[in-house]
Amino acid sequence: MIFSRKRADAERQTRDERATQVPDQGDATPTLERGPYDISESYDDVQRLDLGSLHIPAIADVEVRVQADPQGVVQQVVLVHGDNALQLGVFAAPRSEGIWDEVREEIRQSLLRDGASAQEVAGEYGPELHAQVNTPDGPTNLRFVGIDGPRWMVRGVFQGPVATDPAMAGPLVECLDGLVVDRGQEAKPVREPLPLRLPREIADQAEAEAGDAAAAPRQV
């Protein structure tokens, strides 16, 4: 299932580092100049696709490809722009500390066990992994980034030319920087994927189409 969102206003704003905070005179909640944001923080009001735990900005020329089960539970989210792609995941984390350092090392060890090459590199989001894996189509480059937030972690995997040249990320970075995470208040095991779902109207449409297909007479 593919969602494509176009914005009439394609003007893009250059963001500073995520850690930079701007005082808000009328609100005790700090305003981050760069996301991903927690839903409790202050952020812009651009249109976003609500997938439950992740709200993804509608950015011109970026396709949001979502794989979901028959119940509408999202299994995979991939953003595509040209030859580049960004796979997104969001996970529960403890209140006291981030988990990206630990998760990154586990990913690196797993890649090495599978015969892939992997090295840690200092990137715009902090330490990230650059890897090359073998696929039926030949070697493929991947770039893993992680952003720790309040009780959550967003993991992104860049594929395509952007995996070796971050400057080519273009609007994919705008999507990543504009993510909003709705962690929820319920307790969850650390590293458990936060629940993602199709927007209600899309889920209802898919369910109706499935019902129509099941009710259609069979041709012999």
Side-chain angles (χ1 to χ4, degrees), residues 49-216:
L49 181 65
D50 182 356
L51 297 181
S53 295
L54 276 183
H55 299 191
I56 301 175
I59 303 298
D61 301 323
V62 174
E63 292 181 353
V64 182
R65 299 182 179 179
V66 177
Q67 178 181 339
D69 65 16
Q71 287 71 45
V73 177
V74 173
Q75 308 293 328
Q76 181 173 273
V77 179
V78 180
L79 312 184
V80 179
H81 177 257
D83 295 330
N84 294 314
L86 171 61
Q87 182 178 353
L88 294 173
V90 59
F91 306 87
R95 186 185 303 274
S96 57
E97 59 184 358
I99 60 174
W100 173 234
D101 286 345
E102 186 176 343
V103 170
R104 185 176 67 255
E105 177 59 21
E106 292 182 0
I107 294 173
R108 190 181 73 86
Q109 294 294 339
S110 177
L111 289 167
L112 294 177
R113 285 195 299 270
D114 291 340
S117 63
Q119 61 177 344
E120 187 169 301
V121 177
E124 61 179 319
Y125 297 98
E128 56 190 45
L129 280 180
H130 291 193
Q132 187 176 83
V133 300
N134 295 318
T135 71
D137 297 326
T140 298
N141 293 306
L142 303 174
R143 181 162 65 96
F144 297 81
V145 302
I147 302 100
D148 287 310
R151 301 176 65 212
W152 50 258
M153 181 199 75
V154 168
R155 184 194 65 201
V157 185
F158 287 98
Q159 305 172 52
V162 68
T164 55
D165 185 0
M168 298 184 66
L172 291 181
V173 165
E174 190 176 355
C175 288
L176 182 57
D177 291 349
L179 285 179
V180 174
V181 178
D182 186 356
R183 163 65 172 76
Q185 298 302 317
E186 64 275 17
K188 293 183 179 297
V190 173
R191 303 194 196 183
E192 177 178 294
L194 298 181
L196 298 172
R197 53 166 173 73
L198 293 176
R200 174 62 60 186
E201 62 274 16
I202 302 297
D204 290 345
Q205 179 183 347
E207 184 176 350
E209 291 176 353
D212 292 342

